[in-house]
Structures are given as C-alpha cells and as structure tokens.
C-alpha cells in the first residue's frame, strides 16, 4: 500500500508542479535556442521544490530551460556533480554513440545487418532470421529476439557470454516487428561499437561525448568478455545528464560545436514502434510522446523509465531526476512540437 501511495504522489507532483508551472510560463510563440530563457516564477519554483522534497526516493532534481538551470536541488544522497548509476538512460547514450559512428562511416547505416559483424559470436544452428536483424532493429527494440529484460534479466547477466546469450534468444516475432524492450539489444550495440572501432565503449563515450561536453564518464561494469555494459549501469552525474540533454535540444551542438549530427537527432525522435506496457512511442533509444493536446502530460516520472522526449507547443526544457536504487533515473527532454 505504501508503494501505491508513493506512485500517486509522483504523478501528482509532475502533473501539478513541474509540467503545469513550466507550461504556464512558456511564451506564446515557438522558442528557439537564440531566445533568452525566461526564469521560473520564484513562488512556482519554491512549490515545485517543496513537493519534490516529499518524495523519499528522490535524491537530486535539475530543471533547465534553454541551457539555463532553473532549479537544482539535492534532497539527499550524493551531490549533483557526482556520477551515479543512471540505469536505462544508458540505452540513450549507447544509441547516441551508434549515431555518431554511422555519421563517421564506421557503420553503414540503420539497415546494416549485425550478424556479419558478430560472426564469431553467432551460436551454432542459429535461427536464419538472425541474418535479417539490423542495427536499426536493435536501436528501436524490434529485433524479434526474446527479451533479456524483466524476468529473463538475471539468467542473462549470470551467463558466461552476454553477447552470445542475447543472440541465442528464441525469436518471438519477426525482425522489425513489435517492440520487445530488451537490454540485450543495447548490449549488442556496445559489442558492435567495440568490434568496429577496436576501442572500448568507454573510450568512445569519453572521446565522442565526454570531452566535447566537458563531462566525466567513469568506467562502469563490463561483461565477462570485457565489453562495457550497453544499456544499463553507466555512471553520470545529474549535471552531466543536464549537459547531454541540453545538447540534444540544441540540435546536437554545444558551445558552437556539432557533437551529434542533427539528422541523427531527427531520426532518433521519429516514432517507430510503441511500448506494449504503456503505449508510449519509441524511436531510436528514446521514448517519444506528445503534449500537444494535453499539456499536463508534459513531463512524467516512471519506475526505471528513462530516455524520454516529450513534444510540446511553445516549450523547451530538460528535467533530470536521480533517485534511489528502487526508484528512478530519468532524463526528460521537452522540445517544441513540430
């Protein structure tokens, strides 16, 4: 019963404070990165912080608008500049690295089959459909392979070869079929990055994102073969997440430098499938939803939910919250709707 009450409180908090206040403060025309960001009303910001403080699992909250931090508050736990486990936000980081790799011609594109790139890890007597699984299928969670998440997660991470285990899962749909949210898909992307660049995913993340954004990316867990975990357990500080999110909202640029191709961001945010659990659309490493008709749904918290883009009229904002292990790690971007 206690957990149910906490869930209701989270929903009430987002629906009545951050989303409502921020939307009300948005100007009546589309915002661009060149328009100075208006500040939150101090009273509204105070109310948001007070409500947020009532969530016992919430450690740190940052709300920024057009690069300007409107709210930053650490209620408990480590400071906002200390890297912490960001859970499934890792999937968005991995997807972004793949986008950069495609732009640099390391990969051929979204339609490139993965089997020839991981030939030495393909199980014997593998299902022929494995030859049809593409990089894009992994990014959009449409590989067709049975999930390694949920009730299957423990057996997967206890195996002696995570890549081979993920590739040996039974096909429960065709490649390109329905969404099957699986951390194994993201880990296969990490393995692909490692194989093609001949560098670790950590090195790629530091060189392609960490250095240009001036954020720290510490080492995080690896599989038994030494491949950095793709899709979970990455370590980023709340402030690093804010920098990453603002870069995406600024069309992939930071301090005048193009870090992520603008075209990749557009592709990432195109809905390709939808979650069977929530109905939310999913792009390439991002959940995508719209607040065009229901602005009160501008921001939403969820258990273990991450990597979320909300399209909303006349509003551009980042919201980041870091909670305890049994709560949530979220990155929310709110971009002006097309």
């Amino acid at each position: 019963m206690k957990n149910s009450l906490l869930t209701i409180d989270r929903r009430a908090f987002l629906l009545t404070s951050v989303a409502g206040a921020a939307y009300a403060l948005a100007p009546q025309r589309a915002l661009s990165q060149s328009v100075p960001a208006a500040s939150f009303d101090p009273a509204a910001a105070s109310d948001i912080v007070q409500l947020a403080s009532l969530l016992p699992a919430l450690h740190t909250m940052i709300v920024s608008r057009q690069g300007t931090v409107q709210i930053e508050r650490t209620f408990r736990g480590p400071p906002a500049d200390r890297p912490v486990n960001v859970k499934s936000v890792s999937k968005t980081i991995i997807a972004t690295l793949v986008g950069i790799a495609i732009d640099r011609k390391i990969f051929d594109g979204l339609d490139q089959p993965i089997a020839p790139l991981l030939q030495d890890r393909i199980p014997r007597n593998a299902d022929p459909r494995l030859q049809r699984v593409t990089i894009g299928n992994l990014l959009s969670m449409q590989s067709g392979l049975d999930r390694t998440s949920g009730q299957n997660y423990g057996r997967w991470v206890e195996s002696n070869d995570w890549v081979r285990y993920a590739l040996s899962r039974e096909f429960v749909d065709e490649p390109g079929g329905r969404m099957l949210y699986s951390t194994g898909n993201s880990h296969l992307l990490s393995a692909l990055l490692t194989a093609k660049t001949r560098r670790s995913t950590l090195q790629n993340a530091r060189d392609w994102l960490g250095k240009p954004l001036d954020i720290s990316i510490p080492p995080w867990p690896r599989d038994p073969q030494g491949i950095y975990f793709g899709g979970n357990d990455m370590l980023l500080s709340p402030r690093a997440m804010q920098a990453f999110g603002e870069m995406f909202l600024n069309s992939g640029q930071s301090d005048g430098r193009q870090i992520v191709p603008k075209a990749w961001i557009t592709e990432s945010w195109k809905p390709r499938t939808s979650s069977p659990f929530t109905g939310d659309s999913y792009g390439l490493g991002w959940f995508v939803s719209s607040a065009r008709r229901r602005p009160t749904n501008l921001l939403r918290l969820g258990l273990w939910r991450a990597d979320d883009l909300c399209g909303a009229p006349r509003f551009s904002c980042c919201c980041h919250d870091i909670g305890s292990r049994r709560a949530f790690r979220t990155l929310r971007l709110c971009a002006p709707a097309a």
Side-chain angles (χ1 to χ4, degrees):
M1 185 66 178
K2 186 176 181 180
N3 290 338
S4 297
L5 290 173
L6 181 58
T7 301
I8 294 172
D9 287 344
R10 288 176 188 159
R11 291 175 180 172
F13 163 56
L14 263 297
L15 293 178
T16 62
S17 59
V18 178
Y23 186 83
L25 289 167
Q28 296 303 306
R29 60 188 177 85
L31 291 171
S32 70
Q33 293 296 326
S34 61
V35 178
S39 298
F40 277 18
D41 178 80
S46 178
D47 289 343
I48 291 170
V49 171
Q50 183 177 5
L51 283 169
S53 69
L54 300 178
L55 301 177
L58 180 62
H59 289 184
T60 297
M61 178 179 70
I62 300 178
V63 178
S64 65
R65 186 179 180 193
Q66 294 178 265
T68 300
V69 174
Q70 304 288 335
I71 299 172
E72 180 181 307
R73 182 63 60 90
T74 296
F75 302 101
R76 54 192 66 84
D81 60 354
R82 182 180 300 175
V84 295
N85 188 334
V86 296
K87 304 304 289 186
S88 283
V89 171
S90 307
K91 293 178 175 63
T92 304
I93 305 298
I94 295 294
T96 301
L97 295 177
V98 172
I100 295 173
I102 290 175
D103 182 66
R104 297 185 180 197
K105 310 303 181 184
I106 295 170
F107 295 128
D108 296 339
L110 294 176
D111 295 331
Q112 184 173 6
I114 67 168
L117 305 179
L118 297 172
Q119 194 61 48
D120 62 332
R121 314 301 285 279
I122 301 294
R124 294 181 180 178
N125 303 318
D127 190 309
R129 285 175 288 187
L130 198 56
Q131 300 295 324
R132 292 163 40 202
V133 176
T134 66
I135 289 175
N137 293 153
L138 297 180
L139 287 163
S140 63
M141 300 292 175
Q142 294 174 285
S143 68
L145 293 164
D146 197 10
R147 302 168 65 227
T148 61
S149 297
Q151 62 183 6
N152 301 322
Y153 186 83
R155 291 191 295 274
W156 174 50
V157 297
E158 291 172 1
S159 69
N160 58 14
D161 190 329
W162 295 4
V163 172
R164 189 180 297 273
Y165 187 100
L167 291 170
S168 66
R169 300 297 291 165
E170 179 184 358
F171 274 87
V172 294
D173 202 349
E174 295 298 313
R178 71 182 190 275
M179 181 181 183
L180 295 161
Y181 189 87
S182 176
T183 303
N185 288 340
S186 293
H187 189 63
L188 290 176
L189 293 170
S190 182
L192 289 166
L193 283 165
T194 302
K196 287 292 289 181
T197 64
R198 298 185 179 181
R199 304 192 320 158
S200 71
T201 302
L202 171 64
Q203 290 175 298
N204 291 325
R206 283 176 168 174
D207 288 348
W208 298 351
L209 294 174
K211 290 179 181 178
L213 288 174
D214 193 24
I215 60 175
S216 173
I217 305 179
W220 68 94
R222 293 180 287 176
D223 73 7
Q225 283 65 48
I227 296 170
Y228 278 90
F229 200 172
N232 206 352
D233 292 347
M234 287 187 73
L235 302 173
L236 293 172
S237 72
R239 289 179 184 170
M241 291 174 65
Q242 187 261 336
F244 176 82
E246 289 290 353
M247 178 267 293
F248 254 75
L249 285 177
N250 197 30
S251 300
Q253 293 188 4
S254 180
D255 292 331
R257 178 178 177 182
Q258 194 73 41
I259 298 171
V260 177
K262 182 178 179 180
W264 177 257
I265 295 176
T266 300
E267 285 298 315
S268 297
W269 290 348
K270 287 181 180 178
R272 286 170 163 77
T273 184
S274 60
S275 168
F277 304 108
T278 66
D280 290 339
S281 296
Y282 197 75
L284 302 177
W286 289 87
F287 282 96
V288 184
S289 56
S290 174
R292 179 183 294 276
R293 297 182 180 178
R294 298 185 63 187
T296 52
N297 284 339
L298 190 61
L299 300 174
R300 290 173 299 136
L301 284 178
L303 191 66
W304 297 117
R305 277 290 304 279
D307 47 33
D308 197 3
L309 166 76
C310 298
R314 306 183 302 277
F315 188 58
S316 179
C317 178
C318 282
C319 181
H320 319 272
D321 10 84
I322 299 294
S324 66
R325 186 179 183 280
R326 296 186 65 184
F328 42 82
R329 310 288 197 276
T330 61
L331 166 60
R332 296 286 182 267
L333 304 187
C334 298

